[in-house]
Amino acid sequence: MASLRTPDPDSGWLSDEELANIRRRLPICYVEAIPVRTDGLGVVTEVGVLLRVAPSGSIARTLVSGRVMFGESIRTALFRHLEKDLGPMAFPQLPASPTPFTVAEYFPLPGASVYTDERQHAISLAYVVPVTGTCDPRQDALELTWMSPMEAASDAVAEEMEGGRGALLRAGLASVGALH
């Protein structure tokens, strides 16, 4: 039996039917991460943006993201999703205190927030996370594109992102002084 402190990621945590039922009734907690490369002074030099098949079936740019499992710490969930999306050799540098740069609240109806998700009401803790290793997109990520902070914050990239994640990306980069 898996410990409450270390959820088994292969446990079939919730069936598709259970998840759909819960999504109609409760907000779900997520973590989102903007992977970055930094120079020796900690200045962001590159931003990693994923390309994946979106819930709507379209191909869109997005960030590392995923649910926090019952009994799982925020730190563990963040690390798990970074490893799942970027590969085991990404070597994310998680902060000593996992304080998000913002809390994004996604609503199923447009207009309630800049962030939308037609499937659910979700609360997402968002982080900018330096990675030092080799990133090899996995799971449903088709590719990881490294770009300059200004390119990542551009209108063109924001238009390729669903649910307001372009605004989240800009907010994250601004929080670490990467936008001039």
Side-chain angles (χ1 to χ4, degrees):
M1 182 164 120
S3 162
L4 287 181
R5 293 175 189 232
T6 311
D8 179 2
D10 299 319
S11 68
W13 181 50
L14 293 171
S15 70
D16 290 343
E17 182 179 306
E18 289 171 319
L19 181 59
N21 187 32
I22 290 169
R23 281 180 165 156
R24 285 189 301 271
R25 296 172 181 236
L26 299 168
I28 297 179
C29 183
Y30 281 75
V31 291
E32 292 187 279
I34 301 168
V36 298
R37 300 254 189 227
T38 60
D39 64 15
L41 295 175
V43 174
V44 173
T45 58
E46 292 182 298
V47 181
V49 181
L50 293 166
L51 185 67
R52 70 166 42 131
V53 177
S56 67
S58 63
I59 294 179
R61 296 225 175 258
T62 194
L63 306 173
V64 171
S65 68
R67 290 189 307 272
V68 177
M69 296 173 65
F70 179 80
E72 182 178 45
S73 71
I74 298 297
R75 176 185 299 284
T76 302
L78 189 56
F79 185 83
R80 179 171 58 83
H81 288 292
L82 283 158
E83 185 175 75
K84 176 184 67 95
D85 285 350
L86 303 180
M89 303 304 289
F91 302 130
Q93 305 299 299
L94 298 181
S97 172
T99 302
F101 69 84
T102 196
V103 176
E105 192 168 12
Y106 291 85
F107 287 96
L109 300 173
S113 167
V114 68
Y115 308 113
T116 60
D117 184 335
E118 73 264 357
R119 304 169 301 162
Q120 65 192 336
H121 178 189
I123 290 112
S124 180
L125 308 173
Y127 301 85
V128 176
V129 180
V131 294
T132 60
T134 303
C135 296
D136 181 27
R138 302 163 58 99
Q139 300 283 332
D140 61 346
L142 303 174
E143 73 177 34
L144 175 69
T145 305
W146 290 101
M147 49 187 81
S148 74
M150 295 309 286
E151 183 182 3
S154 71
D155 289 342
V157 171
E159 288 174 13
E160 294 179 356
M161 301 182 99
E162 290 187 335
R165 285 186 178 82
L168 188 66
L169 177 58
R170 288 177 180 148
L173 293 175
S175 78
V176 295
L179 299 180
H180 306 288

